[in-house]
Every structure is written in C-alpha cells, then in structure tokens.
C-alpha cells in the first residue's frame, strides 16, 4: 500500500542506528513510534532555517522593517497548518519539503550540481518532487530569458521599431522572442551548460518510469493519473484561504470587478471554459468518499455534494482566487511565472485524489516569492495559523471516534 520511495525510511535508519550504537538503546526503543516521529521534528527545524534563508535570498533588503517581515514570514510558513500538523507524524511531508527547499536555495545561489543532488533526495521522498527540480532548472532558464528580453526591449526602444499590431500584442511579442531565442545554438548551449545536472536527473527519472512501468510504486490501482483540471481551482481556493490577509481586501475585490467589467468578453470566455472543465473533468476518488478522518471528506460532503449546481457556482470564486495569485506574483518576470504555473499544473492536475497535503509544496514556493507583506498582515496571518493549529490538535487529541467494523481509535486530521 506504500506508494512512495523509501527516502524517509533510509534517513530514519541513518538517525536511529547511530543512536542505538552511541547510547546502547535497544531496537525496541530506537524503532519506537516516538523516535521515528522525532526524525520529522529534525526536518521541521531544518525547514525553519531554510525558509529564513530563502526569504533572505528572494526578498531584497530595501526597508528597515524588512528584517522583521522576513522573520514573521518564516514563522508563519513554519507553522503553516497543513505542514505543521504532519511534522509530528511519520509522514513524508517534512523531509520532502526539506530536500526540495534546500535544492531551490542551492539553485538560487548558483550551486546547480548540489541542487540537483538534493532534488534527487526530494524525489526519494515523493516521486512528484521531480517537478520542483525541473522548476529549479526553469528558474535558471527564466533568469536568462528575462535578461535577453530586457536587452531586446532596450534595443527596440533605441531603434524605435514599430510595435506589434493585432490581438494579444504582448503575447505575440513574447512568442516571437522565444522562437528567436530558441533558434540560436549559442543560447541553447549556454542553457544546457547551466542546467545539465537537472537534465541528468530528469533522464534518470525517465529511466525509473520506464523500468517501473509508471511513476507510482505499490498500490497503483488507487493512484492512477488523470486530467483533473479542477485541482487547479482547489489549489487557488486553498491558497486564497490561507493567504487571505495578503490576497483578500475590499480594494482587491473592487479592482477585480472593475477589470472584469473592462474585459468582460475575456472573462466570459474564461468562465465558460472553467465551467466546462468542472463539468467534464471533476473526479471523485473513492478514498475521498470513504475516509471520514480527513477534513477533505467534510469539505466534499458539506459543500460540493450539497447540490449538483454548487461546483458551478464556485467558478467565479475560483477565477478571483486565480487572478489574486497571479496579481500577487506580478513582481516576478513573465518567464518565472510561466515556469511556476507550468510546474503547478503538472504537480496538481494529474492527481485524482483531492488531498490538501499535495498543495503544501507549491503553496510554500508561492508564498516565499510574493513581495513581503506589511507587518500587520503577517501578524494576522501568524495568529490565524496558530489558532487553526490549536483547534486542529485539540480535535485530533480529544474528539476521537470508532468505525463500526474496527476497535481502533480514529482521529480527525488534515
């Protein structure tokens, strides 16, 4: 039934074996539930430090208050409810986040061989983490494309070349630039020399898929890939909910409504496409309907199953959430955004099961890259996360129940 590679178990052996030799502890002690869960606590400490380093690297030091903002942002993400909860259980989340964030940090510092090696560590915890290793390569490519694009714009400005006419001029300009850039052997060879460690890792992943007969090991029948487009909508809603101090305000809503009115034809087309995707590509995994320990069971039962029309009525909310996320990333280059959203699509859409844990990694990468919010909003975010964590642990510890066909104690969890 285990569908991930044994990264967590190998690291656990690397921790508990030396402990048994040094302290003379018995196998019963070093392989106890508490000791194994302690491995994830070590990862959570590492994640806290990595998050702080990422905020220092990604967010420029422009204001006197930015140091406090980085610390508060680090604290907020460290206690991000979905991640924080699984730090105390023997799940792959903490180690998966650790290796992927470490790989991203090394990528930002230009240590691409180390980044790819750490990406392999992340892959050993969860196969889909290969996507975020590709994102690291995408980040390098986006940097070079942005530099070339700025040079191109400056050149056109100096030569006073006529602007592109017709519909979607910006899109056509970027597409024309990309085609021209990719036609240059010099550009492609430079990108290859920068990203070859990631390319080797992707080739190794392809070999694994070919030999294994798929990305999943173990219970393949319940983890089949499909085109579950609404997963993108669920992620946007999840992000809007947990980033509401930064994404939700009366001013933002007013700006969005004005934009909808100004570009009503475009938004009408987007709405119709979204409704079609919800209609044709909504899947309900049997685990979602069967396992009443998880919050997703109650979200699905009490929201989506209340009436057949509910899933369509939520579409305007999905569009607002998606726009808010894109708007919050407007400080990043168009090429960075392209890489991020391609990786987000690849990591979420093939998943048939609605599971909040699958959203943790893309959410953390998103949250690290938005501009540092004001201190007041960060305090609000941190307070809300602390409250959610308190309620989650209280329910987990005190509101137990039994299934009719089992004597084991069941607990509510993310």
């Amino acid at each position: 039934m285990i569908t991930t590679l044994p990264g967590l178990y190998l690291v656990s052996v690397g921790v508990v074996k030396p402990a048994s030799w040094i302290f003379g502890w018995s196998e019963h002690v070093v392989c106890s539930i508490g000791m194994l869960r302690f491995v994830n606590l070590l990862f959570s400490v590492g994640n806290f430090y990595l998050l702080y380093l990422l905020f220092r690297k990604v967010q420029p030091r422009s204001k006197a208050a930015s140091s406090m903002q980085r610390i508060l942002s680090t604290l907020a993400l460290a206690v991000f409810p979905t991640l924080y909860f699984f730090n105390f259980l023997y799940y792959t989340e903490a180690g998966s986040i650790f290796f992927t964030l470490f790989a991203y940090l090394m990528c930002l510092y230009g240590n691409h061989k180390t980044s790819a090696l750490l990406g392999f560590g992340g892959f050993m915890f969860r196969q889909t983490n290969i996507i975020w290793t590709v994102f690291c390569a995408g980040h390098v490519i986006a940097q070079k494309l942005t530099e070339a694009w700025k040079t191109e714009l400056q050149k056109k400005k100096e030569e006073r070349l006529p602007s592109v006419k017709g519909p979607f001029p910006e899109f056509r300009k970027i597409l024309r630039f990309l085609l021209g850039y990719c036609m240059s052997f010099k550009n492609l060879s430079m990108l290859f020399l920068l990203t070859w460690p990631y390319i080797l890792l992707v080739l190794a992943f392809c070999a694994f898929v070919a030999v294994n007969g798929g990305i999943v090991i173990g219970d393949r029948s319940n983890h089949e890939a499909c085109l579950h487009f609404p997963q993108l909508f669920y992620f946007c809603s999840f992000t809007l909910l947990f980033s509401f101090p930064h994404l939700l305000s009366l001013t933002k809503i007013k700006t969005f409504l004005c934009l909808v009115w100004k570009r009503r034809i475009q938004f009408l087309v987007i709405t119709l496409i979204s409704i079609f995707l919800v209609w044709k590509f909504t899947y309900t995994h049997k685990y979602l309907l069967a396992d009443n320990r998880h919050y997703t069971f109650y979200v699905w039962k009490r929201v989506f199953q209340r009436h057949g029309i509910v899933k369509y009525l939520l579409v305007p909310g999905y569009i607002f959430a998606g726009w808010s996320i894109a708007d919050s990333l407007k400080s990043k280059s168009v090429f960075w955004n392209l890489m991020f959203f391609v990786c987000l699509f690849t990591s979420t859409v093939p998943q048939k099961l609605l599971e909040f844990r699958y959203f943790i990694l893309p959410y953390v990468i998103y949250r690290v890259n938005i501009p540092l919010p004001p201190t007041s909003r960060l305090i609000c975010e941190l307070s809300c996360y602390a409250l959610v964590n308190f309620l989650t642990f209280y329910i987990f510890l005190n509101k137990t129940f039994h299934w009719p066909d089992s004597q084991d104690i069941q607990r509510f969890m993310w």
Side-chain angles (χ1 to χ4, degrees):
M1 299 298 288
I2 295 173
T3 56
T4 53
L5 293 168
L8 177 59
Y9 316 125
L10 293 173
V11 171
S12 299
V13 170
V15 172
V16 301
K17 275 288 185 184
S20 67
W21 297 333
I22 294 168
F23 300 107
W25 291 341
S26 67
E27 188 176 310
H28 176 73
V29 173
V30 296
C31 213
S32 64
I33 293 172
M35 193 69 177
L36 292 174
R37 288 176 177 173
F38 178 73
V39 173
N40 273 351
L41 286 179
L42 294 176
F43 277 129
S44 68
V45 173
N47 286 335
F48 181 85
Y49 186 55
L50 285 172
L51 286 167
Y52 178 71
L53 293 177
L54 280 167
F55 276 114
R56 285 192 62 179
K57 184 65 178 173
V58 173
Q59 305 294 348
R61 289 186 175 186
S62 56
K63 299 177 183 177
S66 63
S67 180
M68 177 58 70
Q69 287 170 306
R70 280 195 295 272
I71 291 168
L72 287 173
S73 294
T74 302
L75 281 170
L77 272 186
V79 298
F80 174 54
T82 318
L83 173 60
Y84 186 72
F85 179 84
F86 289 106
N87 286 341
F88 300 93
L89 298 177
Y90 197 58
Y91 276 65
T92 58
E93 267 60 43
S96 169
I97 295 289
F98 176 83
F99 279 100
T100 307
L101 290 184
F102 205 168
Y104 184 35
L105 182 67
M106 289 297 101
C107 170
L108 294 176
Y109 277 101
N111 299 328
H112 300 301
K113 293 176 188 175
T114 307
S115 177
L117 189 61
L118 290 163
F120 174 74
F123 165 73
M124 288 296 291
F125 275 73
R126 181 165 289 165
Q127 293 93 305
T128 52
N129 284 347
I130 192 70
I131 294 163
W132 298 105
T133 302
V134 172
F135 171 74
C136 291
H139 173 86
V140 177
I141 294 168
Q143 271 189 323
K144 293 302 175 184
L145 287 173
T146 303
E147 290 170 9
W149 175 241
K150 286 179 180 177
T151 305
E152 180 83 3
L153 289 178
Q154 186 63 32
K155 183 181 175 183
K156 285 184 178 180
K157 187 178 178 182
E158 290 172 357
E159 294 178 2
R160 296 182 180 180
L161 295 173
S163 58
V164 177
K165 303 291 183 182
F168 307 108
E170 286 298 320
F171 173 77
R172 291 170 65 194
K173 277 198 293 185
I174 291 170
L175 188 61
R176 185 181 295 177
F177 162 75
L178 285 174
L179 288 172
Y181 189 90
C182 293
M183 292 298 288
S184 167
F185 177 77
K186 181 183 176 182
N187 292 334
L188 292 179
S189 58
M190 176 191 64
L191 292 179
F192 175 79
L193 289 173
L194 286 170
T195 60
W196 69 263
Y198 306 109
I199 294 170
L200 279 181
L201 185 57
V202 170
L203 290 174
F205 169 77
C206 293
F208 160 77
V209 171
V211 172
N212 187 53
I215 190 172
V216 179
I217 60 170
D219 184 19
R220 297 186 184 186
S221 61
N222 290 311
H223 294 82
E224 295 174 344
C226 64
L227 286 175
H228 195 179
F229 290 106
Q231 286 278 27
L232 276 176
F233 303 147
Y234 306 148
F235 172 79
C236 290
S237 305
F238 176 88
T239 302
L240 183 67
L241 176 66
F242 283 105
S243 287
F244 80 92
H246 322 308
L247 298 183
L248 202 56
S249 67
L250 289 174
T251 305
K252 277 226 166 191
I253 294 170
K254 186 179 178 181
T255 304
F256 174 72
L257 292 175
C258 290
L259 187 65
V260 168
W261 180 251
K262 186 180 177 182
R263 300 179 181 176
R264 45 192 177 274
I265 302 299
Q266 291 178 28
F267 276 95
L268 178 62
V269 172
I270 292 169
T271 303
L272 291 174
I273 292 171
S274 300
I275 289 171
F276 175 78
L277 293 176
V278 169
W279 174 44
K280 282 292 185 182
F281 295 96
T282 296
Y283 296 95
T284 309
H285 199 286
K286 64 180 182 180
Y287 285 177
L288 181 62
L289 301 175
D291 197 341
N292 64 344
R293 295 171 300 174
H294 297 281
Y295 293 156
T296 47
F297 172 88
Y298 299 96
V299 170
W300 196 261
K301 182 180 178 182
R302 296 178 182 178
V303 178
F304 291 92
Q305 288 191 320
R306 186 171 289 275
H307 194 280
I309 201 172
V310 169
K311 61 184 180 181
Y312 302 110
L313 294 177
L314 292 171
V315 166
Y318 297 151
I319 295 171
F320 171 73
W323 172 82
S324 295
I325 292 167
D327 184 64
S328 65
L329 289 170
K330 63 186 178 185
S331 61
K332 311 298 286 188
S333 73
V334 64
F335 304 108
W336 188 96
N337 275 280
L338 178 63
M339 298 300 177
F340 175 74
F341 284 107
V342 166
C343 290
L344 173 63
F345 179 93
T346 312
S347 66
T348 55
V349 168
Q351 307 278 3
K352 189 174 183 179
L353 177 63
L354 171 58
E355 173 66 83
F356 292 145
R357 289 185 298 131
Y358 299 158
F359 298 155
I360 295 173
L361 195 44
Y363 177 84
V364 169
I365 290 174
Y366 157 78
R367 181 63 184 78
V368 164
N369 282 282
I370 65 172
L372 285 172
T375 304
S376 58
R377 292 185 182 180
L378 289 169
I379 292 171
C380 175
E381 179 185 39
L382 185 58
S383 302
C384 290
Y385 285 1
L387 178 61
V388 171
N389 285 330
F390 172 79
L391 293 174
T392 303
F393 279 101
Y394 176 80
I395 292 169
F396 180 80
L397 295 170
N398 297 291
K399 301 295 181 180
T400 59
F401 64 100
H402 288 87
W403 284 336
D405 58 345
S406 174
Q407 293 300 313
D408 295 333
I409 295 175
Q410 307 299 330
R411 300 178 187 274
F412 296 105
M413 60 192 293
W414 283 105

